[in-house]
Amino acid sequence: MNKPFVRHLGGPIPHRELHPLNPIYVTRPYLPPLEEFLPFLEKIWETRVLTNNGPFHQELESQLTGVFDSQYVSLTSNGMLALTAAIDAAKLTGEVITTPYSFVATTHALALQGLEPVFVDVRSHDLNIDPDAIEAAITPRTSAIMAVHVYGNPCAVEAIEEIAKRHDLIIIYDAAHAFGVRYKGRSLLSYGDFAALSFHATKAFNTFEGGAVVSNSEDRKLAVNSARNFGIADEVNIPSLGTNAKMSEINAAFGIVQLKHFEQVRRERRAIDTLYREMLGGVTGIDLIDIPEDVEPNYSYFPILVNEHFPMSRDMLYGVLKEQNIFSRRYFFPLLSSLPMYEHLPSAALGLLPIAERAARQVLSLPIYPDLSNEDQLRICDAILMHSR
Ligand code: T4K
């Protein structure tokens, strides 16, 4: 028998041409009141400083040092180039141990720099890279560990640090999902040699497009700054290769405004996370990822795992939701190790990464964003509960 579900759509449904119910996307970017941003635009028009380490860029970098508990913050134009600049600054060679369970940017950033990703499995309780599997994959060619704080949940940072120390490896965290996350009272971004963030429109903190690298020393920050600015040292000295990964003044100014709203955004996301947990926790066939007690999350994603005890497959549920104009996403499917450019790697062989393979088959990320209405959230839960046992 179906579980009881909440009926919330009383009254006439407004006429729409394409679909009777409004579309609900996996996320919608938070935008601050436009009038807060306009004075920043006026200032840019006045000074004509558009990019190249301008005043808003410097201001946002400085404000973020407080948020990230690190003095060494370098803004970038997006998360992919934050990863690239970190890899470049770390001067990696050979093999890098990484997770197959992430967005494609993680592995592409390595491969595009001529590095060989070595995939290892994840832990079942948080889908982050398994430290025991890292240790087993180290070879004389390994130069680094590229771990991902998936959905903003902290990796096993202490264990990873201990392994890296023992084997003299660099740690780069892909922290694209981890803006504002705190672990044991400290910013999660302050762990590792480098942490690369994304400020993309779909993230908990957005600057339209944008990103940052947090490093753990002045030298590393300078190396990142050089990597994001063509490898230029000064007007006549260009000692290294580099790309253009600079953040513009418009994006930086927008970030300054957004930062004022971040705690409010976090609170609104938390309320949505709480309601999902109340309504979907305990449903047969659906597993949730628990938030550990020593973590202050940013609630940027709400993944559910649809296991074999649910009456329909994950893909069927995805389709059912879509028919009701609810656009969940399969973050992260397909598994990166199954992509055509990686499937030939020895570490990518089918069956070697069982936990990640299973998660990629089961995961569905549900809509979560500050102005997701209560009514819409109940509509999503109803649509799922209607099909549960
Ligand atoms: N590492 C990790 C672990 C990452 O997850 C990402 C990015 C990166 C690195 C690289 O960071 P960036 O270089 O992107 O800064 C999205 C994002 O484009 C991507 O940033 C993100 N991860 C990834 C997980 O998700 P798509 O292709 O799923 O996005 P899209 O365009 O389908 O957007 C999803 C929904 O969001 C739409 O259905 C509607 C809504 N949306 C989206 C955009 C862009 C809006 O309402 N407004 C918008 O402007 O990849």
Side-chain angles (χ1 to χ4, degrees):
M1 204 179 83
N2 284 342
K3 276 191 186 301
F5 56 91
V6 184
R7 268 279 135 244
H8 54 88
L9 288 173
I13 295 171
H15 173 76
R16 307 243 168 157
E17 282 209 347
L18 293 173
H19 199 282
L21 294 169
N22 62 303
I24 307 176
Y25 299 103
V26 70
T27 190
R28 296 299 268 171
Y30 176 79
L31 292 175
L34 185 57
E35 57 272 21
E36 287 186 27
F37 187 45
L38 292 178
F40 288 82
L41 290 179
E42 283 164 5
K43 191 82 191 163
I44 291 171
W45 257 245
E46 202 184 290
T47 62
R48 299 206 187 195
V49 179
L50 309 188
T51 186
N52 287 8
N53 201 26
F56 292 136
H57 185 285
Q58 291 176 31
E59 176 60 27
L60 182 60
E61 261 187 8
S62 147
Q63 289 190 17
L64 289 177
T65 60
V67 181
F68 299 156
D69 291 337
S70 164
Q71 297 170 55
Y72 312 115
V73 178
S74 306
L75 296 175
T76 60
S77 46
N78 58 55
M80 173 75 180
L81 287 175
L83 288 168
T84 305
I87 291 166
D88 208 356
K91 301 198 177 3
L92 303 187
T93 56
E95 297 171 358
V96 177
I97 297 173
T98 191
T99 169
Y101 190 80
S102 182
F103 185 63
V104 67
T106 312
T107 323
H108 276 4
L110 294 170
L112 282 167
Q113 300 274 85
L115 297 160
E116 180 177 335
V118 174
F119 296 111
V120 301
D121 210 355
V122 297
R123 309 185 291 188
S124 54
H125 67 277
D126 62 5
L127 307 180
N128 281 329
I129 196 164
D130 182 346
D132 294 337
I134 294 177
E135 182 103 51
I138 294 171
T139 74
R141 296 188 63 228
T142 309
S143 63
I145 301 162
M146 165 83 86
V148 181
H149 300 302
V150 181
Y151 312 126
N153 296 322
C155 290
V157 287
E158 289 97 350
I160 292 173
E161 193 171 321
E162 195 270 317
I163 293 167
K165 266 207 184 107
R166 216 157 8 90
H167 295 273
D168 194 21
L169 304 176
I170 296 279
I171 306 169
I172 300 180
Y173 283 113
D174 181 336
H177 305 166
F179 186 98
V181 176
R182 299 184 72 77
Y183 172 62
K184 293 188 177 169
R186 174 177 149 196
S187 169
L188 184 58
L189 289 325
S190 61
Y191 290 85
D193 297 302
F194 301 90
L197 288 115
S198 165
F199 304 159
H200 184 258
T202 54
K203 297 296 185 285
F205 171 86
N206 85 77
T207 57
F208 282 45
E209 290 269 3
V213 180
V214 182
S215 22
N216 65 356
S217 74
E218 176 75 22
D219 284 352
R220 288 194 163 131
K221 176 180 157 69
L222 291 175
V224 170
N225 288 356
S226 163
R228 76 174 172 192
N229 188 30
F230 310 103
I232 294 174
D234 59 42
E235 254 183 76
V236 288
N237 290 303
I238 305 170
S240 41
L241 290 171
T243 186
N244 179 357
K246 289 172 277 123
M247 179 181 275
S248 84
E249 283 293 275
I250 290 231
N251 300 101
F254 191 71
I256 293 168
V257 181
Q258 288 282 60
L259 203 49
K260 294 189 179 74
H261 296 264
F262 178 70
E263 287 306 329
Q264 176 65 24
V265 167
R266 193 204 302 262
R267 276 195 292 279
E268 288 172 13
R269 287 178 172 276
R270 182 173 59 212
I272 293 161
D273 181 283
T274 304
L275 184 58
Y276 272 139
R277 286 179 193 276
E278 276 168 25
M279 296 202 62
L280 302 177
V283 172
T284 305
I286 290 184
D287 295 319
L288 308 182
I289 297 179
D290 291 337
I291 301 170
E293 275 193 358
D294 43 14
V295 175
E296 184 182 1
N298 63 15
Y299 310 97
S300 50
Y301 292 86
F302 197 88
I304 62 171
L305 296 159
V306 183
N307 69 37
E308 53 285 359
H309 302 296
F310 198 76
M312 60 173 61
S313 70
R314 181 275 311 271
D315 286 341
M316 283 173 76
L317 183 58
Y318 169 85
V320 162
L321 293 176
K322 202 169 179 179
E323 275 166 19
Q324 299 185 35
N325 239 8
I326 298 167
F327 299 95
S328 63
R329 293 296 285 267
R330 286 162 285 196
Y331 296 139
F332 290 100
F333 168 83
L335 213 57
L336 301 177
S337 48
S338 72
L339 299 182
M341 67 299 282
Y342 304 122
E343 63 180 354
H344 66 281
L345 295 171
S347 64
L350 205 65
L352 285 184
L353 307 161
I355 299 171
E357 285 166 14
R358 183 178 145 97
R361 276 196 306 273
Q362 295 185 338
V363 75
L364 204 55
S365 282
L366 301 184
I368 184 164
Y369 50 90
D371 49 15
L372 178 66
S373 71
N374 195 253
E375 186 183 63
D376 281 348
Q377 196 182 359
L378 294 174
R379 193 176 117 204
I380 298 161
C381 293
D382 280 3
I384 297 170
L385 294 172
M386 271 165 94
H387 297 283
S388 67
R389 273 189 241 282

